[in-house]
Amino acid sequence: MPRALITGITGQDGLYLSELLLAKGYEVYGLIRGQNNPKQAVVERIVPDVQLISGDLTDLPSLQRAMGEARPDEVYNLGAISYVAYSWDNPAVTTQVTGQGVLNMLEATRTYAGDDVSSVRFYQASSSEMFGKAQEVPQRETTLLWPRSPYAVAKVFGHYLTINYRESYGMHATCGMLFNHESPRRGAEFVTRKVCMAAARISLGLQDSLGLGNLEARRDWGFAGDYVEAMWRMLQQPQPDNYVIATGVTHSIRDLLDVAFDAVGIEDWTPYVRHDESQIRPAEVDHLIGDASKAQEVLGWTPTVTFEELVQMMVAAELDELAVTRSLVE
Ligand code: NAP
Ligand code: G4F
């Protein structure tokens, strides 16, 4: 039975990846931080077979202990402070977790693996945010990185350090350069979930309006369930490498609003959406669109969920959730 250690187990991707690995027969270990993490109950409910280990990406001894307990064949480093806007307000902690945390995980993995350094396969959650002020359209593995936020700078550090450990020590260390991926499990602070929640609530008269920042930004949005499949496929390759994972289709926040409000039967969302200046970022990433042809050729990976299907799935999940809450109250 192969063994995997996942950091970021309480996050969107951690949950989908652990479901995938458990279904494939893996023994799955998840790193969980804090002395009383409120999301532990969510993990225990959705994936009760995952074995949780206490640890923090900023605490190398805790990671070394976690490696000893999990004895993994594969390590998926998904843990990060991942909210871009937050990273301007908290740049030091973002650097420590999202940047230095990668160094800690690479060191914990390298020292655990010992002489047979490539025996443990390592996945680093790199991000399309690294392309930032995009220097090529569409973006691919070789596109020059131009990060635009403290988060993205930390991700660039982790990305190059993972490549460096591959080249310096011969580690089987792979970077997945993933474009935005969403789901009903997406954190409520991200724009897709925020819009889908609001559309559902407004349609039921539970909310009056929705404050948003830049409506012109464009993202290449895919479904998280598809993207964790790509992560796993990357680590099954004989050689480590870098892969862009994307749909190759880009949409604006306006498009997102169109589909989400249409899903609840509201044709014109403009009366409900107001400008919220606090959501404007000091530096914006205007337009992302990925070229995943390498992943398609080498990994045989293609996305299965369109943008419209994704947004409709997320709105439907919000409506279901609200129906359950209402039935409990009544
Ligand atoms: P997420 O939902 O924000 O999850 C982040 C995870 O990191 C949470 O489990 C969080 O745990 C954990 N974490 C935060 N600080 C930590 C620390 N100090 N020590 C240990 N764990 C810590 O993110 P996601 O959407 O699943 O994304 C997974 C990874 O992919 C992240 O690295 C993200 O930056 C990257 N990525 C995401 C996307 C995307 O569109 N989703 C695209 C490209 C790359 P708590 O619950 O305790 O906070
Ligand atoms: O949903 P977002 O916060 O995601 P963002 O910044 O693209 O980052 C996500 O994807 C990255 C991959 O490229 C990951 F690495 C990262 O960890 C994270 O998962 O914002 C998307 C766009 C931005 O242009 C933002 O300015 O939506 C715009 N936006 C407009 N109004 C808003 C809002 N974003 C948020 N979160 N909230 C708003 O009210």
Side-chain angles (χ1 to χ4, degrees), residues 81-85 127-129 151 155 178-182 186 189-192 194 211-215 217-219 221 253 279 281 284-285 288:
I81 287 180
S82 76
Y83 184 33
V84 173
S127 165
S128 56
E129 279 292 306
Y151 164 81
K155 279 288 178 190
L178 271 50
F179 282 63
N180 297 52
H181 45 280
E182 321 290 316
R186 189 58 145 145
E189 65 274 37
F190 298 97
V191 76
T192 51
K194 184 173 173 180
L212 290 174
N214 178 12
L215 302 188
R218 300 183 75 84
R219 291 290 183 275
W221 278 297
I253 312 299
Q279 293 294 337
R281 299 177 177 184
E284 178 62 284
V285 171
L288 291 176

mmCIF file of all heavy atoms in Angstrom, residues 81-85 127-129 151 155 178-182 186 189-192 194 211-215 217-219 221 253 279 281 284-285 288, ligand 2:
data_model
loop_
_atom_site.group_PDB
_atom_site.id
_atom_site.type_symbol
_atom_site.label_atom_id
_atom_site.label_comp_id
_atom_site.label_asym_id
_atom_site.label_seq_id
_atom_site.Cartn_x
_atom_site.Cartn_y
_atom_site.Cartn_z
ATOM 1 N N ILE A 81 -0.247 29.972 2.903
ATOM 2 C CA ILE A 81 -1.198 31.080 2.993
ATOM 3 C C ILE A 81 -1.497 31.404 1.543
ATOM 4 O O ILE A 81 -0.604 31.808 0.786
ATOM 5 C CB ILE A 81 -0.588 32.257 3.771
ATOM 6 C CG1 ILE A 81 -0.546 31.874 5.245
ATOM 7 C CG2 ILE A 81 -1.392 33.527 3.532
ATOM 8 C CD1 ILE A 81 0.016 32.915 6.149
ATOM 9 N N SER A 82 -2.735 31.193 1.115
ATOM 10 C CA SER A 82 -3.006 31.148 -0.332
ATOM 11 C C SER A 82 -3.858 32.305 -0.831
ATOM 12 O O SER A 82 -4.146 32.377 -2.020
ATOM 13 C CB SER A 82 -3.696 29.823 -0.673
ATOM 14 O OG SER A 82 -5.050 29.853 -0.282
ATOM 15 N N TYR A 83 -4.267 33.196 0.071
ATOM 16 C CA TYR A 83 -5.139 34.304 -0.342
ATOM 17 C C TYR A 83 -4.265 35.497 -0.720
ATOM 18 O O TYR A 83 -3.609 36.096 0.137
ATOM 19 C CB TYR A 83 -6.108 34.645 0.794
ATOM 20 C CG TYR A 83 -7.122 35.695 0.452
ATOM 21 C CD1 TYR A 83 -7.638 35.819 -0.838
ATOM 22 C CD2 TYR A 83 -7.578 36.573 1.421
ATOM 23 C CE1 TYR A 83 -8.571 36.789 -1.146
ATOM 24 C CE2 TYR A 83 -8.520 37.540 1.122
ATOM 25 C CZ TYR A 83 -9.007 37.647 -0.168
ATOM 26 O OH TYR A 83 -9.924 38.613 -0.480
ATOM 27 N N VAL A 84 -4.262 35.827 -1.986
ATOM 28 C CA VAL A 84 -3.345 36.839 -2.526
ATOM 29 C C VAL A 84 -3.523 38.184 -1.822
ATOM 30 O O VAL A 84 -2.544 38.826 -1.420
ATOM 31 C CB VAL A 84 -3.571 36.975 -4.050
ATOM 32 C CG1 VAL A 84 -2.758 38.130 -4.622
ATOM 33 C CG2 VAL A 84 -3.229 35.663 -4.755
ATOM 34 N N ALA A 85 -4.774 38.625 -1.649
ATOM 35 C CA ALA A 85 -5.020 39.948 -1.047
ATOM 36 C C ALA A 85 -4.435 40.026 0.372
ATOM 37 O O ALA A 85 -3.851 41.042 0.764
ATOM 38 C CB ALA A 85 -6.522 40.235 -1.025
ATOM 39 N N SER A 127 2.082 28.105 -8.641
ATOM 40 C CA SER A 127 0.832 28.801 -8.982
ATOM 41 C C SER A 127 0.973 29.659 -10.234
ATOM 42 O O SER A 127 2.031 30.251 -10.482
ATOM 43 C CB SER A 127 0.442 29.696 -7.812
ATOM 44 O OG SER A 127 -0.534 30.630 -8.206
ATOM 45 N N SER A 128 -0.134 29.791 -10.946
ATOM 46 C CA SER A 128 -0.155 30.689 -12.106
ATOM 47 C C SER A 128 0.018 32.148 -11.689
ATOM 48 O O SER A 128 0.329 32.997 -12.533
ATOM 49 C CB SER A 128 -1.459 30.523 -12.885
ATOM 50 O OG SER A 128 -2.569 30.741 -12.043
ATOM 51 N N GLU A 129 -0.190 32.440 -10.394
ATOM 52 C CA GLU A 129 0.071 33.806 -9.923
ATOM 53 C C GLU A 129 1.526 34.198 -10.169
ATOM 54 O O GLU A 129 1.843 35.389 -10.248
ATOM 55 C CB GLU A 129 -0.229 33.918 -8.418
ATOM 56 C CG GLU A 129 -1.688 34.101 -8.077
ATOM 57 C CD GLU A 129 -2.256 35.448 -8.513
ATOM 58 O OE1 GLU A 129 -1.693 36.495 -8.163
ATOM 59 O OE2 GLU A 129 -3.270 35.446 -9.231
ATOM 60 N N TYR A 151 2.521 37.095 -2.008
ATOM 61 C CA TYR A 151 2.191 35.670 -2.171
ATOM 62 C C TYR A 151 2.916 35.095 -3.381
ATOM 63 O O TYR A 151 3.537 34.021 -3.299
ATOM 64 C CB TYR A 151 0.670 35.516 -2.343
ATOM 65 C CG TYR A 151 0.238 34.166 -2.885
ATOM 66 C CD1 TYR A 151 0.135 33.057 -2.046
ATOM 67 C CD2 TYR A 151 -0.062 33.981 -4.244
ATOM 68 C CE1 TYR A 151 -0.257 31.824 -2.532
ATOM 69 C CE2 TYR A 151 -0.455 32.755 -4.737
ATOM 70 C CZ TYR A 151 -0.551 31.672 -3.883
ATOM 71 O OH TYR A 151 -0.939 30.439 -4.375
ATOM 72 N N LYS A 155 5.753 32.172 -3.766
ATOM 73 C CA LYS A 155 5.562 30.978 -4.610
ATOM 74 C C LYS A 155 6.722 30.807 -5.597
ATOM 75 O O LYS A 155 7.139 29.679 -5.896
ATOM 76 C CB LYS A 155 4.242 31.081 -5.379
ATOM 77 C CG LYS A 155 3.027 30.690 -4.542
ATOM 78 C CD LYS A 155 2.966 29.186 -4.277
ATOM 79 C CE LYS A 155 1.793 28.809 -3.404
ATOM 80 N NZ LYS A 155 1.824 27.415 -2.932
ATOM 81 N N LEU A 178 -0.245 25.407 -11.313
ATOM 82 C CA LEU A 178 -1.698 25.286 -11.493
ATOM 83 C C LEU A 178 -2.374 26.648 -11.623
ATOM 84 O O LEU A 178 -2.104 27.561 -10.836
ATOM 85 C CB LEU A 178 -2.311 24.505 -10.336
ATOM 86 C CG LEU A 178 -2.369 22.975 -10.520
ATOM 87 C CD1 LEU A 178 -1.053 22.371 -10.933
ATOM 88 C CD2 LEU A 178 -2.940 22.299 -9.291
ATOM 89 N N PHE A 179 -3.237 26.739 -12.613
ATOM 90 C CA PHE A 179 -4.086 27.915 -12.758
ATOM 91 C C PHE A 179 -5.263 27.783 -11.776
ATOM 92 O O PHE A 179 -5.467 26.733 -11.178
ATOM 93 C CB PHE A 179 -4.529 28.073 -14.218
ATOM 94 C CG PHE A 179 -3.429 28.662 -15.076
ATOM 95 C CD1 PHE A 179 -2.235 27.991 -15.254
ATOM 96 C CD2 PHE A 179 -3.574 29.907 -15.661
ATOM 97 C CE1 PHE A 179 -1.192 28.550 -15.991
ATOM 98 C CE2 PHE A 179 -2.551 30.474 -16.402
ATOM 99 C CZ PHE A 179 -1.356 29.801 -16.566
ATOM 100 N N ASN A 180 -6.039 28.863 -11.645
ATOM 101 C CA ASN A 180 -7.117 28.885 -10.638
ATOM 102 C C ASN A 180 -8.029 27.677 -10.781
ATOM 103 O O ASN A 180 -8.499 27.380 -11.878
ATOM 104 C CB ASN A 180 -7.966 30.143 -10.799
ATOM 105 C CG ASN A 180 -7.185 31.422 -10.556
ATOM 106 O OD1 ASN A 180 -6.134 31.611 -11.148
ATOM 107 N ND2 ASN A 180 -7.704 32.281 -9.706
ATOM 108 N N HIS A 181 -8.278 27.021 -9.662
ATOM 109 C CA HIS A 181 -9.230 25.906 -9.675
ATOM 110 C C HIS A 181 -10.144 26.037 -8.459
ATOM 111 O O HIS A 181 -9.719 26.410 -7.363
ATOM 112 C CB HIS A 181 -8.533 24.557 -9.749
ATOM 113 C CG HIS A 181 -7.369 24.416 -8.833
ATOM 114 N ND1 HIS A 181 -6.127 24.933 -9.114
ATOM 115 C CD2 HIS A 181 -7.260 23.820 -7.626
ATOM 116 C CE1 HIS A 181 -5.310 24.667 -8.129
ATOM 117 N NE2 HIS A 181 -5.966 23.987 -7.202
ATOM 118 N N GLU A 182 -11.381 25.735 -8.681
ATOM 119 C CA GLU A 182 -12.453 26.092 -7.756
ATOM 120 C C GLU A 182 -13.352 24.887 -7.530
ATOM 121 O O GLU A 182 -13.271 23.888 -8.255
ATOM 122 C CB GLU A 182 -13.279 27.235 -8.364
ATOM 123 C CG GLU A 182 -12.467 28.301 -9.108
ATOM 124 C CD GLU A 182 -11.610 29.163 -8.202
ATOM 125 O OE1 GLU A 182 -12.130 29.588 -7.158
ATOM 126 O OE2 GLU A 182 -10.435 29.425 -8.528
ATOM 127 N N ARG A 186 -14.260 25.640 -2.115
ATOM 128 C CA ARG A 186 -13.386 26.814 -2.186
ATOM 129 C C ARG A 186 -13.640 27.706 -0.974
ATOM 130 O O ARG A 186 -14.788 27.869 -0.532
ATOM 131 C CB ARG A 186 -13.714 27.551 -3.483
ATOM 132 C CG ARG A 186 -12.781 28.692 -3.864
ATOM 133 C CD ARG A 186 -11.371 28.237 -4.000
ATOM 134 N NE ARG A 186 -10.667 28.939 -5.054
ATOM 135 C CZ ARG A 186 -9.379 29.260 -4.992
ATOM 136 N NH1 ARG A 186 -8.649 28.936 -3.933
ATOM 137 N NH2 ARG A 186 -8.790 29.862 -6.006
ATOM 138 N N GLU A 189 -13.435 33.454 0.797
ATOM 139 C CA GLU A 189 -12.777 34.720 0.484
ATOM 140 C C GLU A 189 -12.439 34.853 -1.005
ATOM 141 O O GLU A 189 -12.156 35.949 -1.478
ATOM 142 C CB GLU A 189 -11.514 34.893 1.348
ATOM 143 C CG GLU A 189 -10.389 33.894 1.117
ATOM 144 C CD GLU A 189 -10.516 32.599 1.921
ATOM 145 O OE1 GLU A 189 -11.652 32.117 2.107
ATOM 146 O OE2 GLU A 189 -9.472 32.056 2.327
ATOM 147 N N PHE A 190 -12.469 33.755 -1.740
ATOM 148 C CA PHE A 190 -12.091 33.797 -3.162
ATOM 149 C C PHE A 190 -13.303 34.196 -4.008
ATOM 150 O O PHE A 190 -14.455 33.899 -3.660
ATOM 151 C CB PHE A 190 -11.524 32.441 -3.598
ATOM 152 C CG PHE A 190 -10.286 32.079 -2.836
ATOM 153 C CD1 PHE A 190 -10.347 31.241 -1.729
ATOM 154 C CD2 PHE A 190 -9.057 32.608 -3.196
ATOM 155 C CE1 PHE A 190 -9.211 30.941 -0.995
ATOM 156 C CE2 PHE A 190 -7.907 32.311 -2.462
ATOM 157 C CZ PHE A 190 -7.978 31.478 -1.363
ATOM 158 N N VAL A 191 -13.026 34.824 -5.152
ATOM 159 C CA VAL A 191 -14.102 35.513 -5.857
ATOM 160 C C VAL A 191 -15.178 34.569 -6.397
ATOM 161 O O VAL A 191 -16.368 34.921 -6.376
ATOM 162 C CB VAL A 191 -13.527 36.442 -6.958
ATOM 163 C CG1 VAL A 191 -13.056 35.663 -8.174
ATOM 164 C CG2 VAL A 191 -14.529 37.506 -7.331
ATOM 165 N N THR A 192 -14.817 33.381 -6.840
ATOM 166 C CA THR A 192 -15.844 32.481 -7.393
ATOM 167 C C THR A 192 -16.848 32.084 -6.321
ATOM 168 O O THR A 192 -18.056 32.163 -6.522
ATOM 169 C CB THR A 192 -15.214 31.190 -7.952
ATOM 170 O OG1 THR A 192 -14.354 30.639 -6.961
ATOM 171 C CG2 THR A 192 -14.457 31.454 -9.251
ATOM 172 N N LYS A 194 -17.391 33.579 -3.463
ATOM 173 C CA LYS A 194 -18.067 34.774 -2.961
ATOM 174 C C LYS A 194 -19.254 35.115 -3.862
ATOM 175 O O LYS A 194 -20.358 35.389 -3.375
ATOM 176 C CB LYS A 194 -17.053 35.932 -2.927
ATOM 177 C CG LYS A 194 -17.567 37.213 -2.344
ATOM 178 C CD LYS A 194 -16.417 38.230 -2.218
ATOM 179 C CE LYS A 194 -16.947 39.592 -1.785
ATOM 180 N NZ LYS A 194 -15.866 40.581 -1.648
ATOM 181 N N GLY A 211 -20.441 43.362 -2.721
ATOM 182 C CA GLY A 211 -19.364 44.314 -2.997
ATOM 183 C C GLY A 211 -18.182 43.604 -3.611
ATOM 184 O O GLY A 211 -17.686 42.618 -3.070
ATOM 185 N N LEU A 212 -17.727 44.106 -4.770
ATOM 186 C CA LEU A 212 -16.603 43.479 -5.466
ATOM 187 C C LEU A 212 -15.586 44.541 -5.896
ATOM 188 O O LEU A 212 -15.925 45.728 -5.996
ATOM 189 C CB LEU A 212 -17.090 42.738 -6.716
ATOM 190 C CG LEU A 212 -17.905 41.465 -6.495
ATOM 191 C CD1 LEU A 212 -18.432 40.947 -7.832
ATOM 192 C CD2 LEU A 212 -17.072 40.379 -5.807
ATOM 193 N N GLY A 213 -14.372 44.069 -6.190
ATOM 194 C CA GLY A 213 -13.320 44.971 -6.676
ATOM 195 C C GLY A 213 -13.302 45.018 -8.199
ATOM 196 O O GLY A 213 -14.294 45.358 -8.843
ATOM 197 N N ASN A 214 -12.180 44.608 -8.763
ATOM 198 C CA ASN A 214 -11.945 44.711 -10.207
ATOM 199 C C ASN A 214 -12.758 43.668 -10.988
ATOM 200 O O ASN A 214 -12.501 42.467 -10.882
ATOM 201 C CB ASN A 214 -10.438 44.514 -10.442
ATOM 202 C CG ASN A 214 -10.063 44.544 -11.899
ATOM 203 O OD1 ASN A 214 -10.860 44.923 -12.753
ATOM 204 N ND2 ASN A 214 -8.828 44.146 -12.176
ATOM 205 N N LEU A 215 -13.708 44.113 -11.774
ATOM 206 C CA LEU A 215 -14.553 43.170 -12.531
ATOM 207 C C LEU A 215 -13.936 42.797 -13.871
ATOM 208 O O LEU A 215 -14.449 41.915 -14.573
ATOM 209 C CB LEU A 215 -15.937 43.791 -12.784
ATOM 210 C CG LEU A 215 -16.748 44.226 -11.569
ATOM 211 C CD1 LEU A 215 -18.161 44.641 -11.976
ATOM 212 C CD2 LEU A 215 -16.813 43.120 -10.517
ATOM 213 N N ALA A 217 -10.705 41.758 -14.363
ATOM 214 C CA ALA A 217 -9.648 40.739 -14.294
ATOM 215 C C ALA A 217 -10.137 39.453 -14.939
ATOM 216 O O ALA A 217 -11.312 39.095 -14.845
ATOM 217 C CB ALA A 217 -9.276 40.479 -12.833
ATOM 218 N N ARG A 218 -9.216 38.756 -15.584
ATOM 219 C CA ARG A 218 -9.567 37.500 -16.270
ATOM 220 C C ARG A 218 -8.732 36.357 -15.689
ATOM 221 O O ARG A 218 -7.528 36.509 -15.441
ATOM 222 C CB ARG A 218 -9.308 37.622 -17.775
ATOM 223 C CG ARG A 218 -10.126 38.731 -18.432
ATOM 224 C CD ARG A 218 -9.905 38.766 -19.931
ATOM 225 N NE ARG A 218 -10.593 37.681 -20.622
ATOM 226 C CZ ARG A 218 -11.864 37.713 -20.988
ATOM 227 N NH1 ARG A 218 -12.596 38.779 -20.753
ATOM 228 N NH2 ARG A 218 -12.411 36.692 -21.613
ATOM 229 N N ARG A 219 -9.407 35.228 -15.486
ATOM 230 C CA ARG A 219 -8.725 34.056 -14.957
ATOM 231 C C ARG A 219 -9.092 32.828 -15.783
ATOM 232 O O ARG A 219 -10.173 32.751 -16.377
ATOM 233 C CB ARG A 219 -9.128 33.777 -13.498
ATOM 234 C CG ARG A 219 -8.621 34.795 -12.488
ATOM 235 C CD ARG A 219 -7.110 34.700 -12.298
ATOM 236 N NE ARG A 219 -6.622 35.625 -11.286
ATOM 237 C CZ ARG A 219 -6.306 36.908 -11.526
ATOM 238 N NH1 ARG A 219 -6.420 37.406 -12.747
ATOM 239 N NH2 ARG A 219 -5.846 37.679 -10.551
ATOM 240 N N TRP A 221 -10.189 29.465 -15.141
ATOM 241 C CA TRP A 221 -10.759 28.735 -14.000
ATOM 242 C C TRP A 221 -11.110 27.297 -14.372
ATOM 243 O O TRP A 221 -11.868 27.069 -15.335
ATOM 244 C CB TRP A 221 -12.056 29.415 -13.535
ATOM 245 C CG TRP A 221 -11.910 30.597 -12.641
ATOM 246 C CD1 TRP A 221 -11.363 30.634 -11.398
ATOM 247 C CD2 TRP A 221 -12.377 31.936 -12.902
ATOM 248 N NE1 TRP A 221 -11.465 31.913 -10.851
ATOM 249 C CE2 TRP A 221 -12.080 32.724 -11.760
ATOM 250 C CE3 TRP A 221 -13.024 32.547 -13.992
ATOM 251 C CZ2 TRP A 221 -12.396 34.076 -11.668
ATOM 252 C CZ3 TRP A 221 -13.331 33.899 -13.894
ATOM 253 C CH2 TRP A 221 -13.016 34.645 -12.757
ATOM 254 N N ILE A 253 -14.446 38.537 -14.365
ATOM 255 C CA ILE A 253 -15.361 38.480 -13.211
ATOM 256 C C ILE A 253 -16.791 38.770 -13.703
ATOM 257 O O ILE A 253 -17.756 38.233 -13.170
ATOM 258 C CB ILE A 253 -14.935 39.499 -12.121
ATOM 259 C CG1 ILE A 253 -13.440 39.429 -11.819
ATOM 260 C CG2 ILE A 253 -15.769 39.307 -10.850
ATOM 261 C CD1 ILE A 253 -12.904 38.142 -11.310
ATOM 262 N N GLN A 279 -11.465 46.064 -2.070
ATOM 263 C CA GLN A 279 -11.097 44.822 -2.770
ATOM 264 C C GLN A 279 -10.125 45.065 -3.933
ATOM 265 O O GLN A 279 -9.713 44.130 -4.614
ATOM 266 C CB GLN A 279 -12.354 44.123 -3.310
ATOM 267 C CG GLN A 279 -13.270 43.585 -2.230
ATOM 268 C CD GLN A 279 -12.663 42.449 -1.429
ATOM 269 O OE1 GLN A 279 -11.752 41.764 -1.885
ATOM 270 N NE2 GLN A 279 -13.138 42.257 -0.215
ATOM 271 N N ARG A 281 -6.619 45.653 -5.436
ATOM 272 C CA ARG A 281 -5.290 45.239 -4.963
ATOM 273 C C ARG A 281 -4.206 46.252 -5.354
ATOM 274 O O ARG A 281 -4.332 46.905 -6.397
ATOM 275 C CB ARG A 281 -4.960 43.854 -5.550
ATOM 276 C CG ARG A 281 -5.974 42.841 -5.078
ATOM 277 C CD ARG A 281 -5.786 41.455 -5.652
ATOM 278 N NE ARG A 281 -6.799 40.587 -5.056
ATOM 279 C CZ ARG A 281 -6.891 39.286 -5.260
ATOM 280 N NH1 ARG A 281 -6.036 38.670 -6.069
ATOM 281 N NH2 ARG A 281 -7.837 38.582 -4.665
ATOM 282 N N GLU A 284 -2.394 44.362 -9.630
ATOM 283 C CA GLU A 284 -3.341 43.337 -10.086
ATOM 284 C C GLU A 284 -2.670 42.411 -11.119
ATOM 285 O O GLU A 284 -1.734 42.805 -11.826
ATOM 286 C CB GLU A 284 -4.573 44.042 -10.715
ATOM 287 C CG GLU A 284 -5.648 43.132 -11.290
ATOM 288 C CD GLU A 284 -6.316 42.212 -10.252
ATOM 289 O OE1 GLU A 284 -5.669 41.210 -9.850
ATOM 290 O OE2 GLU A 284 -7.478 42.470 -9.879
ATOM 291 N N VAL A 285 -3.166 41.193 -11.152
ATOM 292 C CA VAL A 285 -2.838 40.270 -12.243
ATOM 293 C C VAL A 285 -4.041 40.344 -13.179
ATOM 294 O O VAL A 285 -5.131 39.892 -12.830
ATOM 295 C CB VAL A 285 -2.621 38.837 -11.701
ATOM 296 C CG1 VAL A 285 -2.505 37.838 -12.829
ATOM 297 C CG2 VAL A 285 -1.387 38.803 -10.813
ATOM 298 N N LEU A 288 -4.926 35.918 -16.998
ATOM 299 C CA LEU A 288 -4.197 34.646 -17.013
ATOM 300 C C LEU A 288 -4.901 33.660 -17.936
ATOM 301 O O LEU A 288 -6.137 33.547 -17.920
ATOM 302 C CB LEU A 288 -4.120 34.045 -15.598
ATOM 303 C CG LEU A 288 -3.251 34.785 -14.576
ATOM 304 C CD1 LEU A 288 -3.364 34.126 -13.203
ATOM 305 C CD2 LEU A 288 -1.788 34.840 -15.025
HETATM 306 O O1 G4F B 2 -10.423 34.610 -6.364
HETATM 307 P P1 G4F B 2 -9.207 35.430 -6.177
HETATM 308 O O2 G4F B 2 -8.951 35.968 -4.822
HETATM 309 O O3 G4F B 2 -8.016 34.518 -6.706
HETATM 310 P P2 G4F B 2 -6.522 34.865 -7.219
HETATM 311 O O4 G4F B 2 -6.048 36.147 -6.692
HETATM 312 O O5 G4F B 2 -6.512 34.679 -8.695
HETATM 313 O O6 G4F B 2 -5.666 33.708 -6.507
HETATM 314 C C1 G4F B 2 -6.109 32.343 -6.486
HETATM 315 O O7 G4F B 2 -5.606 31.674 -7.620
HETATM 316 C C2 G4F B 2 -4.173 31.599 -7.686
HETATM 317 C C3 G4F B 2 -3.826 30.880 -8.992
HETATM 318 O O8 G4F B 2 -3.628 31.811 -10.017
HETATM 319 C C4 G4F B 2 -3.669 30.848 -6.475
HETATM 320 F F1 G4F B 2 -2.327 30.738 -6.532
HETATM 321 C C5 G4F B 2 -4.076 31.594 -5.214
HETATM 322 O O9 G4F B 2 -3.645 30.855 -4.077
HETATM 323 C C6 G4F B 2 -5.584 31.709 -5.189
HETATM 324 O O10 G4F B 2 -6.137 30.425 -5.046
HETATM 325 O O11 G4F B 2 -9.230 36.672 -7.183
HETATM 326 C C7 G4F B 2 -9.430 36.519 -8.566
HETATM 327 C C8 G4F B 2 -9.627 37.859 -9.217
HETATM 328 C C9 G4F B 2 -8.552 38.904 -8.856
HETATM 329 O O12 G4F B 2 -8.175 39.580 -10.017
HETATM 330 C C10 G4F B 2 -9.264 39.871 -7.932
HETATM 331 O O13 G4F B 2 -8.794 41.232 -7.978
HETATM 332 O O14 G4F B 2 -10.874 38.410 -8.770
HETATM 333 C C11 G4F B 2 -10.683 39.799 -8.494
HETATM 334 N N1 G4F B 2 -11.707 40.229 -7.547
HETATM 335 C C12 G4F B 2 -12.610 41.239 -7.765
HETATM 336 N N2 G4F B 2 -13.369 41.419 -6.680
HETATM 337 C C13 G4F B 2 -11.907 39.767 -6.303
HETATM 338 C C14 G4F B 2 -12.952 40.501 -5.762
HETATM 339 N N3 G4F B 2 -11.294 38.776 -5.620
HETATM 340 C C15 G4F B 2 -11.727 38.511 -4.365
HETATM 341 N N4 G4F B 2 -11.147 37.517 -3.680
HETATM 342 N N5 G4F B 2 -12.748 39.230 -3.786
HETATM 343 C C16 G4F B 2 -13.393 40.240 -4.435
HETATM 344 O O15 G4F B 2 -14.296 40.872 -3.898
#
